[in-house]
Amino acid sequence: LLAAQGVRGAFVNGTTGEGASLTTAERKLVAEAWRRAAPASLAVIVHVGHNVLAEGIDLARHAAAIGCDAFAALAPSFF
């Protein structure tokens, strides 16, 4: 639907706060589902920022391994 409406990219687990509400395993599953579902015309950009540096690194490696188009790491704003 997004691609059909002309949207060119999706920021998964991003700025609306859903990523911070999920476990690392859940965030990986969400990224994998987006990667599988998105047509080639829709860039999948995964937010990998985390309060724990090692978890953020793990999420970044995972995003690269599943073929996401890009990832971003926003610094934690609280907690």
Side-chain angles (χ1 to χ4, degrees):
L1 177 66
L2 293 174
Q5 297 298 316
V7 175
R8 298 182 61 196
F11 189 41
V12 178
N13 292 328
T15 57
T16 58
E18 68 276 18
S21 300
L22 302 174
T23 66
T24 297
E26 290 169 331
R27 289 173 69 174
K28 288 179 179 182
L29 290 173
V30 169
E32 291 167 11
W34 270 93
R35 182 68 280 164
R36 279 192 311 272
S41 62
L42 183 72
V44 176
I45 305 158
V46 179
H47 175 244
V48 301
H50 200 287
N51 287 333
V52 178
L53 181 58
E55 296 292 318
I57 291 169
D58 183 43
L59 288 165
R61 287 182 175 144
H62 177 261
I66 64 171
C68 289
D69 298 288
F71 62 82
L74 302 177
S77 58
F78 56 94
F79 294 128

